[in-house]
């Protein structure tokens, strides 16, 4: 049976883990053989983290978590596609996860590439072009708001991604409306290791 945490309690647990990470006082919970054995036939994550694939953004590390604690989905620039939507809907409808975290970070390469493409007019080739096209609306929204630096643009992209997720998925939007799930945008600061709330849908 899935742990019955509220969205607010799930966010508090993530904050506590991140505070330990920032303070270099990590406890490395749920990382032993006993935990591994207990999860063989079931999983009960208390949150889902949809973050950027960047190697510096390992969710279980920055929130000081272990096996089975969080359901993690990652793409470069935390770009939404059908597979991402299906994964996030699975976490809500099957696993009963109460909190979806959209996790962006400073100095994001995918956002930087998109900003460069808009400035120069030179689109990248291959599937990198698809990433840039999906991030472009967020960059343009930031530009209209007078935002031109990459880190503030990443925050805007994180906010826009959270909004897009709620707009795109009926399963998730209904869960938010019912109070069962919250969707939050979180920005990770590489230099200090801190995860900061930047937007949200649903009660925290």
């Amino acid at each position: 049976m899935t742990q019955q945490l509220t969205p607010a309690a799930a966010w508090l647990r993530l904050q506590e883990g991140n505070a330990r990470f920032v303070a270099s006082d990590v406890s490395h919970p749920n990382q032993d053989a006993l935990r591994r054995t207990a999860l063989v036939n079931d999983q009960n994550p208390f949150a889902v983290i949809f973050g950027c694939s960047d190697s510096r953004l390992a969710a279980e590390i920055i929130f000081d978590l272990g096996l089975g604690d969080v359901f993690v989905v990652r793409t470069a620039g935390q770009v939404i596609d059908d597979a991402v939507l299906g994964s996030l809907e699975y976490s809500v409808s099957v696993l009963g996860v109460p909190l979806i975290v959209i996790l962006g970070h400073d100095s994001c390469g995918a956002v930087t590439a998109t900003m460069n493409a808009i400035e120069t007019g030179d689109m990248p080739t291959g599937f990198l072009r698809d990433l840039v096209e999906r991030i472009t609306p967020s960059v343009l929204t930031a530009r209209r708001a007078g935002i031109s630096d990459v880190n503030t643009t990443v925050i805007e992209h994180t906010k826009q991604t959270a909004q897009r997720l709620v707009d795109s998925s009926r399963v998730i939007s209904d869960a938010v409306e019912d109070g069962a799930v919250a969707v939050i945008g979180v920005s990770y600061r590489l230099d200090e290791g801190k995860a900061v709330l930047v937007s949200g849908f649903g009660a925290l």
Side-chain angles (χ1 to χ4, degrees):
M1 184 177 177
T2 302
Q3 302 175 33
Q4 297 299 314
L5 287 182
T6 63
W11 174 229
L12 178 61
R13 187 168 170 185
L14 289 176
Q15 288 177 290
E16 289 171 346
N18 182 240
R20 293 194 301 272
F21 174 69
V22 170
S24 295
D25 186 29
V26 290
S27 59
H28 300 293
N30 298 327
Q31 296 182 21
D32 57 11
L34 186 65
R35 176 67 166 179
R36 184 178 69 237
T37 302
L39 292 170
V40 168
N41 296 314
D42 198 12
Q43 61 169 320
N44 298 300
F46 70 88
V48 56
I49 297 176
F50 171 40
C52 182
S53 299
D54 193 290
S55 62
R56 300 164 291 182
L57 201 69
E60 289 90 347
I61 294 176
I62 67 175
F63 290 109
D64 192 26
L65 300 170
L67 297 172
D69 288 335
V70 286
F71 189 81
V72 179
V73 180
R74 298 175 72 180
T75 62
Q78 68 270 7
V79 165
I80 293 175
D81 60 17
D82 289 349
V84 168
L85 287 171
S87 298
L88 296 179
E89 288 187 353
Y90 174 83
S91 73
V92 169
S93 62
V94 178
L95 300 178
V97 170
L99 181 67
I100 298 175
V101 177
I102 312 299
L103 184 63
H105 66 95
D106 292 350
S107 305
C108 179
V111 172
T112 300
T114 303
M115 294 173 69
N116 290 340
I118 290 172
E119 288 168 7
T120 64
D122 294 330
M123 289 294 287
T125 58
F127 286 99
L128 183 55
R129 181 186 182 106
D130 183 64
L131 284 176
V132 166
E133 288 175 345
R134 290 174 186 266
I135 297 171
T136 293
S138 296
V139 175
L140 294 177
T141 299
R143 290 284 173 86
R144 284 193 295 270
I147 297 167
S148 58
D149 69 288
V150 63
N151 291 342
T152 312
T153 300
V154 169
I155 291 174
E156 183 59 38
H157 176 53
T158 302
K159 293 177 180 178
Q160 292 295 320
T161 303
Q163 177 73 64
R164 204 166 298 134
L165 175 60
V166 173
D167 290 345
S168 300
S169 171
R170 182 64 179 270
V171 169
I172 292 171
S173 62
D174 284 351
V176 170
E177 188 174 333
D178 292 342
V181 172
V183 177
I184 61 175
V186 172
S187 181
Y188 178 71
R189 298 172 181 169
L190 293 173
D191 57 347
E192 56 186 305
K194 190 171 184 180
V196 179
L197 183 70
V198 296
S199 70
F201 299 88
L204 280 183

